[in-house]
Amino acid sequence: MNEVPVHPRRRTRGTARLLAGGALAVVTVVASAAVATLAHADLPGPPGTTLKAAAERSGRYFGAAMGRDRLNDQGFLTIANREFDMMTAVNEMKPDATEPSRGQFSFAAGDAIYNWAVQHGMRLRGHTLAWHAQQPRFWSSLSGSALRQAMIDHINGVMAHYKGKLAYWDVVNEAFAENGSRRNSNLQATGNDWIEAAFRAARAADPSVKLCYNDYNIENWTYAKTQGVYNMIRDFKSRGVPIDCVGLQTHFTGGSSLPGNFQTTLSSFAALGVDVALTEADVTNASASQYQGLTQACMNVPRCVGITTWGIRDSDSWRGSENPLLFDRNSNPKAAYSAVLNALNAASTTVPGTTTPPSTPTSPPPSTPPVTPQPGACTATYRTTSSWDGGFQGEVTVANNGSAPLSGWTVSLTLAGGQSLVNVWNGVNTGTSGTVTVRNAAYNGALGAGASTSFGFVAGGSSGTAPGSISCTSP
Ligand code: G3I
């Protein structure tokens, strides 16, 4: 892929306004009981007939990117609402858009996308906080420690606004060169530790959101750039620098195509202890076999949590002339759409542990001491992360408070009358109203002693009542 052009400075008007959402409701219930061993192959229900339904069967998401102008495009909104459960703002949460002048934050455009997405049952990936492109104009007159501080201030300001609201943040975007070294940029000139500083600031600003490094041309395991990013993630994990995920943009256009070792790349990153996601997928002429292959690779890697396409219809694409997306200009799904849908639904045949091992294993497999769960080891803690007229978004933290590892978990919770689940992520639900159960997804069932994970959901119906009778069981 060619280098992403630096974009002319955006002018953003308006002042910050409050996001939907209110006080957090917290309920903690501890329970113990034995349940049957969970099997990922045992997925509920018939095949999904939409991208999101098919992805949700294995606890994954299917996302798209949109600009604010698409909020006036009913054709786009109809497909977005029907097919997708994750949204990324194309430009509206980037540094130039959110902090046009120092300390003057502007969230109107990002919030407009956020509010529409959440009100339609979606979660959001934040994109992006620190990047060599689309920087605030005032960064160009800064260098050294002053620029470093401006970056930290930016992270703090933007993340404070979206605190507790987003599923992921692309904290740093595209910081590597094709030869595997760091890309030359004004941020790199502030010192090699600028990426680490950005992630540490991000964790402190919002401990609830998953922090990602995002880049393109890191899909081929043998590329120098892939190895450069991999070595950085490995270094971060070994030193305790906070990082939760790697986004592989997956732009198979402009000469690059699906590499045969893509799954190896995904599983190698995942083996470092991070989630992986395909964050900006598009493919020249929407090759069905390439879309099938990239989707299959993700489904084969338990920690591949979801796929996002960079737009919905070809007319939404930054490379529209290549017709790279799943829907044509008349909103019709292409052959690639069916290929992706089928691959998502086929995830039910994927069993953790059967994926291709990394070609360069770098850490020993986690030890698996005998499992002797104690009563009460599994706990479930609920909070409402946002609410609006007619719905709310909830998050359940599942913790292993015992001294033995758990190999899976199931949470039971009771929704109030009139409430029903719209979608669930990082877990697989049975039932949508009344008492429902949510069990672990393929990638977050194993919890070491003291470890925790979380799943989330959007529910429609009355927004004021938190679910009751929450309990957690583990095999
Ligand atoms: O909004 C102005 C408009 O007022 C003006 O008339 C027009 C004239 O060119 O420009 C418009 O701004 C454009 C903006 O997109 C909104 O459409 C910019 O020129 C254009 O450079 C900008 O491109 C964006 C690009 O990032 C900039 O780096 C693309 O929309 C966006 O899709 C793209 O996204 C990136 C990801 O962030 C990172 N990975 C690669 C991906 C594709 O390049």
Side-chain angles (χ1 to χ4, degrees), residues 51 54-55 57-58 60 288 291-300 307 336-350:
L51 297 169
R57 294 176 83 240
S58 61
R60 295 180 170 91
Y291 263 115
Q292 193 278 338
L294 69 87
T295 305
Q296 188 63 55
C298 179
M299 297 305 104
N300 287 350
I307 299 171
Y337 171 91
S338 302
V340 169
L341 189 69
N342 291 340
L344 294 171
N345 279 316
S348 59
T349 61
T350 302

Side-chain angles (χ1 to χ4, degrees), residues 73-219:
D73 183 335
Q74 199 52 51
F76 180 97
L77 297 179
T78 297
I79 307 176
N81 189 27
R82 186 182 72 225
E83 301 282 345
F84 297 89
D85 57 9
M86 181 72 76
M87 192 53 73
T88 307
V90 171
N91 290 304
E92 290 76 2
M93 294 188 190
K94 289 174 176 174
D96 60 343
T98 50
E99 194 181 2
S101 55
R102 185 153 206 169
Q104 301 296 309
F105 291 92
S106 178
F107 297 115
D111 286 359
I113 292 172
Y114 173 88
N115 288 331
W116 183 85
V118 168
Q119 286 166 15
H120 290 81
M122 301 172 198
R123 293 184 295 152
L124 287 97
R125 298 191 81 260
H127 176 80
T128 178
L129 294 165
W131 189 19
H132 67 276
Q134 290 181 273
Q135 297 184 350
R137 190 190 301 271
F138 70 90
W139 284 16
S140 63
S141 61
L142 302 175
S143 61
S145 58
L147 177 59
R148 174 71 65 89
Q149 191 58 51
M151 180 192 77
I152 301 291
D153 292 346
H154 178 77
I155 290 170
N156 286 335
V158 176
M159 290 191 75
H161 181 75
Y162 287 110
K163 187 172 184 177
K165 306 287 187 189
L166 305 181
Y168 302 91
W169 257 118
D170 288 334
V171 177
V172 171
N173 192 45
E174 300 175 0
F176 277 75
E178 298 304 302
N179 69 3
S181 65
R182 293 289 184 82
R183 176 196 291 273
N184 283 328
S185 73
N186 58 345
L187 292 170
Q188 182 64 27
T190 69
N192 204 50
D193 62 344
W194 75 274
I195 300 179
E196 172 176 347
F199 276 89
R200 291 191 192 280
R203 178 68 95 228
D206 184 356
S208 73
V209 65
K210 291 204 171 189
L211 308 177
C212 307
Y213 176 79
N214 191 55
D215 214 330
Y216 62 87
N217 277 356
I218 59 169
E219 294 81 17

Side-chain angles (χ1 to χ4, degrees), residues 153-389:
D153 292 346
H154 178 77
I155 290 170
N156 286 335
V158 176
M159 290 191 75
H161 181 75
Y162 287 110
K163 187 172 184 177
K165 306 287 187 189
L166 305 181
Y168 302 91
W169 257 118
D170 288 334
V171 177
V172 171
N173 192 45
E174 300 175 0
F176 277 75
E178 298 304 302
N179 69 3
S181 65
R182 293 289 184 82
R183 176 196 291 273
N184 283 328
S185 73
N186 58 345
L187 292 170
Q188 182 64 27
T190 69
N192 204 50
D193 62 344
W194 75 274
I195 300 179
E196 172 176 347
F199 276 89
R200 291 191 192 280
R203 178 68 95 228
D206 184 356
S208 73
V209 65
K210 291 204 171 189
L211 308 177
C212 307
Y213 176 79
N214 191 55
D215 214 330
Y216 62 87
N217 277 356
I218 59 169
E219 294 81 17
N220 189 320
W221 179 241
T222 65
Y223 276 12
K225 185 174 179 180
T226 308
Q227 294 300 311
V229 173
Y230 177 84
N231 288 332
M232 178 185 75
I233 307 298
R234 182 171 58 177
D235 171 54
F236 279 13
K237 295 300 286 185
S238 73
R239 292 189 297 111
V241 178
I243 186 164
D244 304 306
C245 37
V246 175
L248 298 93
Q249 293 183 8
T250 319
H251 290 297
F252 293 146
T253 63
S256 70
S257 56
L258 175 69
N261 57 23
F262 188 37
Q263 186 179 321
T264 295
T265 305
L266 295 174
S267 58
S268 298
F269 276 117
L272 295 176
V274 289
D275 291 344
V276 292
L278 317 189
T279 51
E280 304 180 14
D282 47 21
V283 178
T284 302
N285 295 326
S287 157
S289 67
Q290 294 217 1
Y291 263 115
Q292 193 278 338
L294 69 87
T295 305
Q296 188 63 55
C298 179
M299 297 305 104
N300 287 350
V301 176
R303 285 196 80 152
C304 187
V305 294
I307 299 171
T308 291
T309 55
W310 204 243
I312 292 179
R313 307 156 304 182
D314 291 331
S315 49
D316 306 316
S317 174
W318 67 305
R319 289 184 159 174
S321 64
E322 296 182 55
N323 298 321
L325 294 174
L326 298 177
F327 292 83
D328 68 19
R329 285 157 211 278
N330 297 318
S331 297
N332 296 314
K334 303 180 188 176
Y337 171 91
S338 302
V340 169
L341 189 69
N342 291 340
L344 294 171
N345 279 316
S348 59
T349 61
T350 302
V351 179
T354 62
T355 56
T356 306
S359 57
T360 311
T362 53
S363 53
S367 61
T368 49
V371 177
T372 314
Q374 300 116 315
C378 177
T379 64
T381 306
Y382 171 80
R383 69 177 185 130
T384 300
T385 51
S386 62
S387 62
W388 55 92
D389 192 19

